[in-house]
Amino acid sequence: MPFMRDHVAAEPARAEVDAQAGWLLLEFGAPWCGHCQAAQPALQAFVDAHDLPHWKIEDGKGKPLGRSFQVKLWPTVMLLHDGKEVARVVRPVAAADLGTLEGALPD
């Protein structure tokens, strides 16, 4: 699954995220968020370089998935493996900001 340019129409349930096998890059944000827009080039390059599935979730007040992951700022980007969070970055702008995610991937 390639980089998602747009947010998913309906957020998945937490159980669906937890049940995902393998690697998944989960991004929480909003289409109008300037920080989210600024992060897109670095995130797309990261997803493309690692051939990762990418889910872009629109977050906001009362959205249960973001609350279940304790998302406070946008974008919050999490690398999950077999449904479990292994790394997280908040408000990345450049590729260097994604080093935590990079370090969590296998060689």
Side-chain angles (χ1 to χ4, degrees):
M1 177 183 295
F3 178 79
M4 292 183 91
R5 294 192 186 285
D6 299 313
H7 294 82
V8 295
E11 81 175 7
R14 177 66 190 252
E16 184 180 347
V17 174
D18 292 344
Q20 291 299 305
W23 294 98
L24 172 65
L25 192 70
L26 190 59
E27 174 188 352
F28 289 94
W32 49 264
C33 169
H35 294 287
C36 301
Q37 294 166 5
Q40 296 311 292
L43 290 173
Q44 182 170 4
F46 184 81
V47 167
D48 291 347
H50 298 288
D51 194 29
L52 290 170
H54 172 235
W55 290 4
K56 186 181 290 194
I57 309 297
E58 187 169 351
D59 192 37
K61 188 175 183 177
K63 296 278 192 165
L65 187 60
R67 302 302 63 77
S68 75
F69 279 105
Q70 300 176 339
V71 171
K72 306 253 190 258
L73 296 171
W74 301 330
T76 293
V77 183
M78 290 175 269
L79 184 64
L80 284 74
H81 186 256
D82 293 336
K84 300 204 180 348
E85 182 179 342
V86 295
R88 175 187 294 225
V89 295
V90 178
R91 292 198 172 164
V93 177
D97 299 331
L98 302 175
T100 301
L101 303 179
E102 185 86 40
L105 289 169
D107 292 333

